Amino acid sequence: MSTPALPSRLPAVGTTIFTRMSALAAAHGAVNLGQGFPDFDCDPALLDAVTAAMHEGHNQYPPMAGVPPLRAAIAAKIAALYGARYDADTELTVTAGATQALTTAILCCVHPGDEVIVIEPAYDSYAPAITLAGGRVVPVAMEVDEQGYHVSWARVAAAVSPRTRLLIVNTPHNPTGTILRAPDLRALADIVRGTDILLLSDEVYEHMVFDGQRHESLCRHPELAERAFVVSSFGKTYHVTGWKVGYVAAPAALMTEFRKVHQYNVFTVNTPAQYGIARYMADPVPYLDLPAFYQRKRDLFRAGLAGSRFTLLPADGTYFQCVRYDAISPILESEFAAWLTAEIKVAAIPVSAFYGAAQESGIVRFCFAKQDATLHQALARLAKL
């Protein structure tokens, strides 16, 4: 007997760089600053809230769009932070993490032959989801110089065609740590105005914006919000990435189509976690304090590398720090990340892995969402370079 051949829907997809680097880190006993999740626990009060929800009997299927208290809490948070009024019944959906939200948004609006503009380097789930939808990725590379990464909106405008269905933005940006500012969103509005182009805004790091700058959510810009799916993540905000709970906000007409896909690819999301998060959200302090929490870790990490031969790029948001290593080695990013892991025993991610066709810039990404002890251990090793 033999298993029938199965032509792959994703022939270009293999083991992710995150899996490979984490395995390499484990094999060499390296400090893993590669994969982007905290090595510390969440607030015990959040665990208590979810546990209470279980004991209160919230253990069966919730409504497909999410439990009403959580959708109401999300609507209130968006209104308070960004001045946008989303209807909790028709314009907000709780999702099984942000990646499911992103994939569902792509599947609901991208048809075979449609083009999707993706600004690179980019989170690695965008392109496979576009491929599954039958769309075509149109990559637009960010520019990078001594001031760091920034989007060339002229390049984005040049990439628009009559087949452009969707344009994906990500702010704060993974992997570069940059943020979009008000002039960026004005430029984006100029590009899509008068078209039928939809927007997908990945804002999972919305509460990690530093140095007193504000997060320019598409929610706060009515002209953009009227054509946008805006995605966020409780996993990132509350240090519970393994819970896989996120949400998407969109105008009712777009949300109707989103939910048609959502109800068949996941249907609904962990019930006690939803009730627990809703209860925990009654206090805004945890997410309002998050910028200062992570800025302190960013500053600790940057200070620790100040005497090394790494060149620090700006890190205005997220919990990632990108560095140039050209003063240390001329080798390719993937080779440098592997050498760093095996010899220096600190794992990083090559930024070239975030491009469809690998682009070399001599830059790797570190994650500083770690306990101070973890960061000090890594810095003691990296400072030698």
Side-chain angles (χ1 to χ4, degrees):
M1 297 178 65
S2 62
T3 301
L6 175 61
S8 177
R9 293 292 306 278
L10 296 170
V13 172
T15 304
T16 70
I17 187 66
F18 309 104
T19 299
R20 296 199 301 273
M21 294 309 301
S22 290
L24 194 62
H28 290 279
V31 180
N32 190 352
L33 301 188
Q35 201 154 7
F37 57 82
D39 70 345
F40 47 85
D41 209 350
C42 66
D43 183 351
L46 178 56
L47 301 179
D48 292 343
V50 175
T51 301
M54 293 182 191
H55 287 294
E56 290 164 4
H58 297 299
N59 300 303
Q60 307 307 325
Y61 290 128
M64 179 265 287
V67 302
L70 182 54
R71 283 184 280 129
I74 294 167
K77 187 195 85 164
I78 293 174
L81 291 180
Y82 310 128
R85 304 287 176 180
Y86 284 90
D87 185 279
D89 292 329
T90 62
E91 298 183 319
L92 294 169
T93 298
V94 180
T95 59
T99 299
Q100 186 251 319
L102 294 163
T103 298
T104 301
I106 290 166
L107 290 175
C108 83
C109 66
V110 176
H111 295 254
D114 285 347
E115 295 178 352
V116 181
I117 295 175
V118 175
I119 297 168
E120 294 186 324
Y123 179 57
D124 65 348
S125 84
Y126 303 161
I130 295 164
T131 299
L132 288 173
R136 185 172 80 85
V137 176
V138 179
V140 177
M142 297 175 79
E143 296 178 348
V144 58
D145 53 29
E146 61 275 7
Q147 277 79 47
Y149 288 88
H150 57 275
V151 178
S152 168
W153 295 107
R155 288 184 185 176
V156 174
V160 171
S161 83
R163 301 195 70 88
T164 304
R165 166 57 57 199
L166 183 68
L167 195 161
I168 302 177
V169 295
N170 174 204
T171 184
H173 186 262
N174 176 20
T176 68
T178 59
I179 60 173
L180 296 183
R181 295 172 170 82
D184 293 298
L185 296 198
R186 287 197 292 270
L188 176 60
D190 288 342
I191 291 170
V192 299
R193 188 178 297 120
T195 75
D196 291 327
I197 297 171
L198 299 174
L199 299 172
L200 176 55
S201 188
D202 179 352
E203 301 183 16
V204 302
Y205 299 100
E206 63 174 317
H207 300 298
M208 301 169 208
V209 178
F210 311 134
D211 304 313
Q213 301 177 94
R214 79 174 193 173
H215 170 54
E216 291 294 339
S217 174
L218 266 62
C219 291
R220 69 163 85 243
H221 298 271
E223 185 181 5
L224 298 174
E226 68 184 5
R227 62 175 74 225
F229 300 91
V230 178
V231 174
S232 191
S233 164
F234 291 117
K236 296 294 192 300
T237 299
Y238 292 139
H239 320 308
V240 287
T241 59
W243 289 11
K244 298 297 292 179
V245 183
Y247 63 88
V248 61
L254 299 184
M255 188 57 72
T256 296
E257 296 306 311
F258 181 94
R259 289 179 178 177
K260 288 179 183 179
V261 177
H262 173 80
Q263 70 181 332
Y264 292 115
N265 72 2
V266 71
F267 177 61
T268 192
V269 178
N270 183 294
T271 305
Q274 289 195 59
Y275 278 101
I277 291 170
R279 184 174 299 175
Y280 189 71
M281 286 183 73
D283 181 5
V285 170
Y287 59 78
L288 294 178
D289 283 354
L290 205 59
F293 174 83
Y294 274 121
Q295 182 171 331
R296 188 191 65 78
K297 289 187 178 294
R298 181 203 65 172
D299 293 348
L300 184 159
F301 191 68
R302 288 175 68 88
L305 290 182
S308 73
R309 288 185 290 163
F310 288 111
T311 300
L312 296 165
L313 275 64
D316 295 319
T318 76
Y319 45 50
F320 301 117
Q321 174 67 60
C322 287
V323 299
R324 289 188 183 276
Y325 62 82
D326 53 325
I328 300 170
S329 174
I331 61 178
L332 298 178
E333 291 174 15
S334 59
E335 295 173 357
F336 182 79
W339 172 82
L340 197 68
T341 304
E343 300 299 327
I344 308 302
K345 305 212 179 297
V346 179
I349 299 292
V351 173
S352 58
F354 293 86
Y355 291 85
Q359 178 169 314
E360 293 292 328
S361 303
I363 297 171
V364 294
R365 186 200 78 176
F366 294 111
C367 174
F368 55 80
K370 308 296 177 184
Q371 300 176 65
D372 287 4
T374 304
L375 295 176
H376 284 302
Q377 184 182 19
L379 288 167
R381 299 173 183 181
L382 294 171
K384 299 172 186 176
L385 294 173

